[in-house]
Amino acid sequence: MKRKFVLVILLLAAIAVVGLGYEVVDGKIHIVYAARQPVPNLDPSIHYDWSTRNLQQSVYDALLKYVGDPPVLEPWLAEKWEGSPDATVWTFHLVKNARFHNGDPVTAEAVKFSFERTLTLKQGPAWMLLDVLDPSGIEIVDDYTIRFHLNKPYAPFPSVVPWWYIMNPKEVMAHEVDGDYGQGWLQDHEAGSGPFKIKEWKHGEYYWLEAWDEYWKGWPNPDHIGGFIFKLVREAATQRMMIESGEADIVEGVTPRDFDELAKTPGIYVPEYPGMTTFGIKMNTQKGMTANPLIRKAICYAFDYDALIDIYEGHAVLEDSPFPMATKGHVDLSQWMYRQDLEKAKEFMARAGYPDGGFELEYVYVAGLEEERLIGLALQSSLAEIGIKVNLVPLIWPEMVERGSKPETSPDMMAVFTTPISNDPDAVAIQYHPMSAGRYYYSHWYSNPRVTYLVEQARSTTDWNARAKMYDEIQRIVLYDAPEVFGMLYNRRWAFRDYVQGFQFCPVRMTSEIDMYTLYIDKSKLP
């Protein structure tokens, strides 16, 4: 009976921990990040989104890492790297002190295994390199040198490497079941070398990671957080109450108005930065009325762009090019960007043979995403001015992706947020190349032979000046062809308790993703 009583007490204590704010464990402060998106699968070869990446980058390392604003590639597991003049061979020299959490060294064998595993499973980040790298093209030169032989030139190769996390092959294969490459185990376990380790994992409720004091790279601050609880909180209103009461130390995803109010609250600060996530209304260029470029231009000129800024209550900026501002090679095309001009819109409608409109288009958006619904209402009102009726169609995201995967089924107009995987312009330019067919950001099914040629040439050219000229032309052609309503970039915001310091923004990270490695506790501000 006594033993049962003790177990009950321990269980209640564990439950209480995730119901409070920060906890002190062995003298270290573990903070609470209240977020609305779960982590369905931690396996680096299988899945990624912002919440998953938040944990993956905490428990795993990659050869390179994006740091800072503007983002730069920093050596991480690799201390240096070089590419051949034709961009087909890339060699990485590993640091010699990196260790996995079980003490095994991080070697070229582990790098080879990790890349081969992701390429073989063809999920997660595999799509980034499947077209240019075969598993047979990965060579172990020695214990701390790995060489990638690509099957075609690919100048942006280093820019995608930060997405490929390195796993301990011994641990992974020790948990292989029926040839599954350890997928079942890695869904909620890890085999990494990152600054944190898993302490507790309760899917659908919380994910608790603790700092690894022996992290091979060391810590940027001696008062670094002792760990963090990534706690699922479904309602934005609850998130706000938790940060105000101190039950949470960080929150994301509350309404623009709530962020504004939290920024005025003593003991809370709200960092705000322009990200790389763009919002656009993709138009089907292959089927229906929007296949006519004159109709697309009319739509672009009819749309009320100021409504986008109003919806985000001023915490967004309009795009000034098809490429986000933080992208290398971005060109400011403000003077040519579409802005609301109903006279021009009507002129293009007349040239298209529809001076009075008289037809309907559908606008498909994510069901339950209020911002996209409000944007749809603005679109509906704008296009009514030129005689086009817009029908708002809410769908769950998987259904939207499925519809956009074929030109025959892709909607007339589809709301799409897109975050480039790197600051290399190829990450954006590829969205306008037929190679992207079937992906959500290609729901416009845009194809221009000149753009296709330029994208391919830029990928195979190592001379940056030559690449820059190609991307300049790509941006101008895509803008002219109007495959989408180029919208805005909303600002990234979080709310922090003021004792949580060390936040470092990097626009390449996804939406609400935070690098927890740099966070530390300012003890003078603790309540």
Side-chain angles (χ1 to χ4, degrees):
M1 176 66 82
K2 182 177 181 182
R3 184 179 178 184
K4 287 183 179 181
F5 179 76
V6 170
L7 288 174
V8 168
I9 291 295
L10 290 174
L11 179 60
L12 289 174
I15 293 173
V17 164
V18 297
L20 300 174
Y22 73 81
E23 288 293 319
V24 179
V25 180
D26 296 328
K28 292 284 188 177
I29 290 179
H30 293 229
I31 61 174
V32 174
Y33 184 178
R36 285 188 289 166
Q37 183 168 290
V39 179
N41 193 331
L42 193 62
D43 190 332
S45 296
I46 301 298
H47 185 75
Y48 68 83
D49 51 29
W50 82 259
S51 54
T52 304
R53 286 264 301 172
N54 209 95
L55 271 60
Q56 283 176 343
Q57 71 169 311
S58 298
V59 298
Y60 290 101
D61 291 313
L63 295 175
L64 307 175
K65 181 175 180 176
Y66 278 108
V67 176
D69 181 22
V72 294
L73 275 176
E74 276 201 4
W76 214 257
L77 287 175
E79 60 184 5
K80 61 180 180 178
W81 72 96
E82 64 265 354
S84 62
D86 65 355
T88 60
V89 181
W90 295 89
T91 305
F92 292 80
H93 306 272
L94 308 185
V95 298
K96 294 183 173 62
N97 66 322
R99 294 287 184 272
F100 288 110
H101 294 148
N102 71 347
D104 292 340
V106 180
T107 63
E109 178 190 357
V111 176
K112 178 179 171 67
F113 168 82
S114 300
F115 273 78
E116 284 183 343
R117 182 178 186 271
T118 300
L119 289 168
T120 300
L121 295 177
K122 297 181 179 181
Q123 298 182 63
W127 65 271
M128 302 175 191
L129 294 176
L130 277 175
D131 187 54
V132 299
L133 178 64
D134 297 322
S136 60
I138 305 173
E139 174 194 1
I140 295 177
V141 179
D142 58 43
D143 283 350
Y144 293 99
T145 310
I146 190 83
R147 184 167 291 147
F148 299 90
H149 299 268
L150 310 186
N151 53 40
K152 65 175 70 172
Y154 186 50
F157 182 78
S159 73
V160 304
V161 165
W163 287 79
W164 294 67
Y165 290 116
I166 307 307
M167 297 158 268
N168 186 336
K170 291 181 181 178
E171 278 199 289
V172 174
M173 297 312 291
H175 295 91
E176 182 181 39
V177 177
D178 297 328
D180 75 342
Y181 240 136
Q183 290 180 68
W185 185 73
L186 276 185
Q187 184 171 343
D188 52 13
H189 294 78
E190 53 88 6
S193 62
F196 295 88
K197 300 190 296 183
I198 293 176
K199 180 178 177 65
E200 291 182 18
W201 188 279
K202 193 162 186 178
H203 183 61
E205 292 188 31
Y206 63 90
Y207 315 95
W208 191 347
L209 273 58
E210 62 183 343
W212 183 32
D213 288 334
E214 294 78 30
Y215 182 46
W216 63 270
K217 200 172 179 64
W219 290 84
N221 192 291
D223 291 322
H224 65 84
I225 60 173
F228 66 94
I229 301 165
F230 193 86
K231 181 174 175 58
L232 295 183
V233 180
R234 302 293 184 178
E235 299 297 328
T238 305
Q239 287 175 291
R240 174 176 173 174
M241 287 189 289
M242 289 179 68
I243 191 76
E244 288 176 323
S245 67
E247 290 182 73
D249 303 293
I250 311 172
V251 299
E252 58 79 37
V254 300
T255 67
R257 187 161 298 174
D258 280 348
F259 270 130
D260 288 344
E261 291 302 315
L262 288 172
K264 304 172 188 175
T265 304
I268 295 174
Y269 69 100
V270 177
E272 178 170 358
Y273 297 88
M276 289 182 71
T277 301
T278 58
F279 172 82
I281 301 173
K282 308 282 186 179
M283 293 183 278
N284 190 332
T285 63
Q286 299 297 317
K287 177 179 174 290
M289 298 301 296
T290 52
N292 186 333
L294 297 174
I295 295 293
R296 297 200 303 271
K297 288 176 183 288
I299 291 171
C300 288
Y301 277 118
F303 184 65
D304 179 7
Y305 295 86
D306 290 339
L308 296 175
I309 306 301
D310 292 340
I311 289 168
Y312 280 85
E313 300 196 20
H315 299 283
V317 294
L318 296 181
E319 287 188 78
D320 64 4
S321 163
F323 286 16
M325 289 86 161
T327 307
K328 189 177 181 181
H330 161 269
V331 179
D332 187 339
L333 301 177
S334 298
Q335 60 181 310
W336 293 287
M337 289 299 288
Y338 302 99
R339 294 294 180 255
Q340 189 172 48
D341 186 330
L342 292 177
E343 290 306 312
K344 279 189 178 180
K346 291 173 182 177
E347 176 187 331
F348 276 105
M349 289 293 286
R351 288 173 56 187
Y354 296 90
D356 301 314
F359 55 87
E360 299 183 10
L361 298 175
E362 64 174 345
Y363 164 82
V364 172
Y365 67 99
V366 177
L369 190 53
E370 181 64 5
E371 296 95 324
E372 289 190 359
R373 186 187 73 85
L374 293 174
I375 292 169
L377 292 176
L379 179 68
Q380 193 176 59
S381 176
S382 298
L383 298 198
E385 296 287 339
I386 56 174
I388 300 175
K389 181 181 178 182
V390 176
N391 298 313
L392 273 57
V393 181
L395 294 178
I396 61 172
W397 179 242
E399 290 177 355
M400 289 177 63
V401 174
E402 177 62 27
R403 282 206 55 187
S405 66
K406 300 176 184 176
E408 296 81 13
T409 59
S410 196
D412 301 315
M413 300 180 289
M414 188 163 105
V416 175
F417 283 95
T418 307
T419 302
I421 61 169
S422 78
N423 70 331
D424 190 281
D426 179 72
V428 185
I430 199 65
Q431 298 174 27
Y432 303 99
H433 187 290
M435 186 188 303
S436 295
R439 304 194 181 282
Y440 73 94
Y441 48 74
Y442 196 72
S443 59
H444 46 49
W445 288 89
Y446 170 75
S447 180
N448 180 307
R450 178 62 179 169
V451 170
T452 298
Y453 168 78
L454 288 170
V455 170
E456 293 170 357
Q457 284 297 110
R459 287 186 132 206
S460 61
T461 303
T462 54
D463 182 342
W464 169 249
N465 291 328
R467 290 184 76 205
K469 292 178 182 177
M470 297 178 201
Y471 290 120
D472 183 307
E473 186 177 350
I474 289 170
Q475 289 170 77
R476 295 174 192 275
I477 295 174
V478 171
L479 179 62
Y480 178 81
D481 287 346
E484 63 187 85
V485 175
F486 298 102
M488 56 83 196
L489 299 92
Y490 68 89
N491 291 351
R492 306 263 188 92
R493 292 200 283 177
W494 299 260
F496 287 77
R497 298 297 308 188
D498 62 1
Y499 46 78
V500 180
Q501 296 291 317
F503 172 75
Q504 294 183 6
F505 178 72
C506 183
V508 175
R509 296 197 187 103
M510 301 179 73
T511 55
S512 299
E513 178 186 345
I514 297 174
D515 185 1
M516 310 298 285
Y517 171 57
T518 63
L519 300 184
Y520 67 91
I521 301 299
D522 183 343
K523 295 178 181 177
S524 69
K525 291 186 169 67
L526 287 173

